[in-house]
Amino acid sequence: MRLVLASITTFLLSVSAFAAQATCLDNNTLQKLKNNEVEYMLGRIPPAFSDAVADKKIEFKMQVAEADTCQVSFEVTLPESDVKEANLLLAADPAKKIILFSQGYILPETTTLNAAFTVDPVSLQAGHADILQSGELGKLRASIEMMYAMLTQQRANIDEKMQNTQPWSTEFRQQQQTKCTQQFASTPQLGAGCECQINKTAAIASERQMRYVEYVDSNPYAQATGASKNFAAVKSQIQLDCGLKKSGS
């Protein structure tokens, strides 16, 4: 009887172990893992990244690395033009490069990045050690975040000589109209003034560039770089030309 019970217990343990491995090998699980990681990155990394994803310029792959330990390999393929642009920007600022590298931040130098990490098959969460900046997944995340933070800041640098050939959508124009009417003093000319500001701004900046500016303005670290200072001066002149005055002024 004991022998039978022992055999049953061994069998159940084997089935349990096999089930855990099978979970790691399941294509649906890998797809969920990939989706979760992409969503995490979209929620954290500055908007130049989400635009590249929307344009299908970035590819993501999630594969099993070691089934017995539930280890997966995450591969991200970046646009060559973005990698080159970011590295040129950093090379032009040696002091910034030294500071960032001393803090453990490194820009991607190739278009393909890989990270192997262990996954909990139930929660589908990466191990804590893997998401630290010393872990492979943590390094990959930080590297891509640094790259697209630099690109977002650079693309927020807008001046009055630029020309935008991409018309704003009706929805975006309405959003800007609402922001304008909330920001400036209510006068009979407010509606026309806001329309004037929108037309003048849309002539030099795309919707995406406006989102980059908004990101920089909302992020103290990005704002400290002075990335949007040129546009701030342009915007002030446009508001003056359009007769807009801040509430209370």
Side-chain angles (χ1 to χ4, degrees):
M1 184 65 179
R2 290 180 179 177
L3 182 60
V4 172
L5 289 174
S7 298
I8 292 174
T9 301
T10 302
F11 173 75
L12 291 175
L13 289 173
S14 298
V15 169
S16 177
F18 176 78
Q21 291 182 23
T23 301
C24 297
L25 291 168
D26 182 80
N27 286 334
N28 289 332
T29 302
L30 290 172
Q31 185 64 43
K32 288 179 182 178
L33 278 172
K34 186 181 80 169
N35 292 345
N36 289 348
E37 185 58 31
V38 172
E39 285 302 314
Y40 171 84
M41 297 172 79
L42 286 171
R44 180 177 177 87
I45 300 177
F49 173 77
S50 60
D51 287 338
V53 172
D55 291 341
K56 301 187 184 304
K57 292 181 177 180
I58 302 180
E59 296 180 3
F60 305 94
K61 291 181 181 178
M62 191 75 75
Q63 299 175 320
V64 174
E66 292 183 7
D68 57 340
T69 59
C70 215
Q71 188 179 74
V72 297
S73 174
F74 184 48
E75 179 180 290
V76 183
T77 303
L78 302 167
E80 183 177 2
S81 57
D82 286 356
V83 174
K84 286 184 176 179
E85 183 182 352
N87 277 280
L88 285 173
L89 288 171
L90 193 57
D93 192 346
K96 184 176 183 179
K97 183 175 182 179
I98 291 171
I99 293 173
L100 290 172
F101 280 23
S102 68
Q103 295 174 344
Y105 291 98
I106 300 176
L107 274 181
E109 295 182 349
T110 61
T111 57
T112 303
L113 304 180
N114 290 278
F117 60 97
T118 303
V119 176
D120 183 314
V122 178
S123 66
L124 299 186
Q125 297 294 315
H128 178 68
D130 293 311
I131 61 176
L132 297 176
Q133 198 167 324
S134 56
E136 288 189 23
L137 182 59
K139 287 180 180 178
L140 181 145
R141 288 174 172 177
S143 184
I144 295 176
E145 182 175 357
M146 175 182 166
M147 172 174 148
Y148 279 102
M150 292 181 62
L151 294 179
T152 298
Q153 291 162 19
Q154 175 64 18
R155 294 168 189 176
N157 189 6
I158 305 166
D159 62 46
E160 73 280 0
K161 296 178 182 178
M162 290 184 172
Q163 291 185 336
N164 173 42
T165 59
Q166 302 169 354
W168 288 7
S169 66
T170 301
E171 181 183 6
F172 190 73
R173 290 181 69 93
Q174 184 58 52
Q175 290 173 357
Q176 296 303 308
Q177 181 80 15
T178 300
K179 287 181 181 180
C180 180
T181 55
Q182 292 174 345
Q183 183 180 8
F184 294 99
S186 180
T187 66
Q189 294 78 34
L190 179 59
C194 286
E195 186 68 20
C196 169
Q197 175 181 247
I198 289 170
N199 290 334
K200 285 180 175 291
T201 305
I204 62 172
S206 67
E207 286 187 31
R208 288 186 173 185
Q209 287 174 308
M210 291 299 294
R211 287 204 305 275
Y212 301 157
V213 170
E214 289 171 1
Y215 163 78
V216 170
D217 289 345
S218 66
N219 185 300
Y221 296 102
Q223 197 172 31
T225 66
S228 64
K229 64 179 182 181
N230 285 342
F231 182 68
V234 174
K235 184 168 63 174
S236 293
Q237 185 60 51
I238 288 176
Q239 291 168 359
L240 183 64
D241 293 344
C242 292
L244 294 169
K245 295 182 179 181
K246 293 286 182 69
S247 298
S249 61

